């Protein structure tokens, strides 16, 4: 397949063009494009999987783009090729992007060994996440051996990103209480590592935040989460950092790499990826079924009226749902 060969075999600008074209195809909602996109993904499949997929999340302003720029350049220095993708549902819902525009990561974005693609600008979170997963495969087939998927610390996008990456990193500010919010929102359970950024501003506060976080994790461990960790390992997973100055970035990478290697060696990475693939398939089935349901002529005709009856209390929701489901099968 020509499109796939262009991605796998070409280099430089020609490869970038082929990648951009492929990703645009993957993001198209036209049915005939979808068939081509699936053929392309299948052709790329044998060239994927040999990379490290890193997820990164944090509230706007925590320093994600600064960190990705510093880390990305560090990794390129070590001989890697780095792709950066984003999952930002806000860009499709409000038309504006929380993750900002192309001025982010100025040095990385012009580097020949980096490929940066902003979030798809249309679709639901599920749709945006799915397009990003597919774009990730394009990057891998093109030989990018590290893919960083970035998202914002709002809503469900973190669950989506942790569901498509090997390791999920949460970025925090060194504010007391910040960690409690993360625990409340359930993000800590997703995080394999926590980065406390801007440690240069107030090292004492950052160190306190680190200690708090370690003790929170210990409590979570008592409840069965991250149960495999010894305390020493937990310390490794909470990293102090200054993305702006670059302090701690090399340490972060060492810890990350160690964790990844451990997961690779003990087989947990493989089973994680297998589960993710199965889950992805299930999500596609669910969204496909929903789409078919919504597009069914009989459903379109009676949906609004039945919903009104439910809202007004004239019809039990279960009855309305059953009628619509039956109509969708006719
Ligand atoms: P994002 O919204 O999470 O991508 O955050 P940015 O990377 O755009 O950073 C937001 C602001 O914080 C920018 O003005 C950065 O220069 C600043 N910043 C990021 N990391 C650090 C850091 O480690 N130390 C300090 N002092 N400022 C930082």
């Amino acid at each position: 397949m020509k499109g796939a060969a262009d991605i796998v075999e070409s280099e430089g600008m020609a490869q970038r063009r082929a990648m951009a074209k492929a990703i645009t195809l993957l993001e198209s909602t036209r049915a005939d494009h979808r068939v081509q996109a699936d053929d392309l993904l299948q052709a790329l499949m044998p060239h994927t999987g040999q990379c490290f997929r890193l997820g990164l999340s944090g509230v706007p302003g925590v320093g994600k783009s600064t960190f990705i720029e510093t880390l990305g350049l560090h990794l390129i220095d070590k001989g890697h090729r780095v792709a950066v993708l984003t999952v930002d549902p806000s860009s499709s819902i409000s038309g504006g992007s929380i993750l900002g525009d192309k001025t982010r990561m100025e040095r990385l974005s012009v580097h020949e060994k980096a490929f940066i693609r902003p979030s798809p600008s249309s679709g639901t979170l599920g749709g945006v996440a799915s397009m990003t997963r597919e774009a990730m495969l394009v990057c891998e087939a093109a030989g990018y051996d590290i893919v960083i998927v970035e998202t914002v610390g709002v809503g469900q996008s973190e669950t989506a990103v942790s569901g498509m990456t090997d390791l999920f990193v949460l970025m925090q500010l060194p504010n007391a209480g910040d960690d409690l919010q993360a625990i409340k929102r359930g993000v800590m359970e997703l995080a394999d590592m926590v980065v406390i950024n801007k440690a240069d501003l107030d090292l004492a506060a950052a160190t306190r935040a680190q200690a708090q976080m370690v003790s929170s994790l210990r409590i979570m461990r008592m409840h069965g989460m991250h149960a495999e960790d010894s305390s020493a390992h937990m310390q490794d997973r909470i990293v102090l950092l200054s993305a702006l100055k670059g302090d701690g970035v090399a340490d972060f990478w060492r810890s990350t790499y160690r964790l990844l290697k451990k997961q690779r060696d003990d087989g947990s990475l493989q089973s994680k990826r297998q589960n993710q693939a199965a889950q992805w398939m299930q999500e596609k089935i669910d969204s496909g079924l929903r789409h078919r349901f919504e597009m069914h002529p009989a459903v379109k005709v009676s949906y609004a009226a039945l919903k009104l009856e439910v809202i007004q209390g004239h019809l039990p929701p279960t009855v309305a749902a059953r009628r619509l489901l039956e109509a969708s099968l006719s």
Side-chain angles (χ1 to χ4, degrees):
M1 190 180 187
K2 189 177 173 309
D6 286 344
I7 291 168
V8 176
E9 290 160 17
S10 63
E11 287 174 13
M13 280 312 288
Q15 187 182 51
R16 274 171 194 278
R17 263 197 305 277
M19 290 170 73
K21 205 168 139 198
I23 294 174
T24 305
L25 175 69
L26 297 169
E27 290 176 359
S28 169
T29 48
R30 262 177 51 183
D32 58 329
H33 284 172
R34 190 62 251 174
V35 175
Q36 289 176 39
D38 284 340
D39 288 345
L40 176 69
L41 286 176
Q42 184 144 19
L44 293 179
M45 198 78 183
H47 306 282
T48 64
Q50 301 301 321
C51 75
F52 172 36
R53 303 164 180 169
L54 181 72
L56 179 70
S57 166
V59 295
V62 70
K64 292 180 296 301
S65 53
T66 311
F67 179 48
I68 293 175
E69 166 128 316
T70 313
L71 177 66
L73 293 170
H74 176 74
L75 294 172
I76 288 173
D77 247 12
K78 290 171 97 52
H80 297 286
R81 291 177 72 198
V82 179
V84 182
L85 305 170
T86 53
V87 174
D88 180 4
S90 70
S91 66
S92 48
I93 294 162
S94 68
S97 162
I98 297 182
L99 288 171
D101 53 28
K102 290 188 185 119
T103 54
R104 305 170 87 236
M105 308 169 214
E106 269 170 9
R107 284 193 296 152
L108 192 63
S109 61
V110 295
H111 203 294
E112 55 168 357
K113 297 213 161 148
F115 180 84
I116 299 181
R117 177 91 182 180
S119 186
S121 56
S122 68
T124 57
L125 169 60
V128 168
S130 177
M131 287 179 235
T132 304
R133 272 179 199 257
E134 293 175 356
M136 183 157 77
L137 299 180
V138 171
C139 296
E140 292 178 21
Y144 287 83
D145 59 340
I146 297 183
V147 182
I148 301 175
V149 186
E150 174 195 18
T151 193
V152 273
V154 291
Q156 290 298 306
S157 60
E158 289 158 317
T159 313
V161 170
S162 84
M164 67 175 87
T165 49
D166 301 331
L167 285 182
F168 185 69
V169 177
L170 176 66
M171 272 186 100
Q172 297 270 94
L173 291 168
N175 301 338
D178 218 33
D179 57 334
L180 291 178
Q181 280 170 19
I183 291 168
K184 234 191 241 160
R185 291 190 301 118
V187 196
M188 284 295 283
E189 289 121 86
L190 301 176
D192 297 292
M193 307 250 309
V194 178
V195 161
I196 300 172
N197 192 34
K198 306 197 186 184
D200 55 296
L201 291 180
D202 186 347
L203 187 59
T207 310
R208 261 198 315 278
Q210 184 186 32
Q212 264 181 12
M213 193 82 66
V214 169
S215 67
S216 310
L217 274 184
R218 245 178 230 139
I219 293 166
M220 284 164 73
R221 186 172 62 143
M222 288 193 301
H223 291 96
M225 287 162 205
H226 297 289
E228 81 284 12
D229 272 357
S230 68
S231 293
H233 274 137
M234 261 190 292
Q235 206 93 34
D236 259 10
R237 292 187 181 213
I238 320 283
V239 182
L240 291 186
L241 204 128
S242 167
L244 194 62
K245 305 206 157 154
D247 297 339
V249 171
D251 282 344
F252 165 83
W253 180 246
R254 257 193 300 278
S255 299
T256 310
Y257 190 75
R258 204 179 306 136
L259 199 53
L260 182 73
K261 189 167 178 319
K262 178 174 165 275
Q263 294 192 2
R264 221 179 243 160
D265 293 347
D266 68 15
S268 57
L269 184 65
Q270 195 191 6
S271 60
K272 187 190 265 186
R273 284 191 172 185
Q274 287 170 344
N275 288 336
Q276 288 176 341
Q279 175 78 23
W280 187 9
M281 183 185 83
Q282 189 58 50
E283 280 166 21
K284 294 305 274 186
I285 292 172
D286 292 348
S287 64
L289 283 174
R290 173 178 279 268
H291 183 72
R292 274 198 197 177
F293 173 82
E294 285 167 353
M295 290 296 126
H296 195 285
V299 172
K300 278 187 174 173
V301 166
S302 48
Y303 188 90
L306 286 172
K307 187 174 163 190
L308 191 63
E309 285 194 57
V310 167
I311 291 169
Q312 291 174 337
H314 300 319
L315 194 65
T318 51
V319 174
R322 185 161 49 78
R323 278 195 203 158
L324 286 167
L325 286 169
E326 278 168 4
S328 75
L329 296 174
S330 61

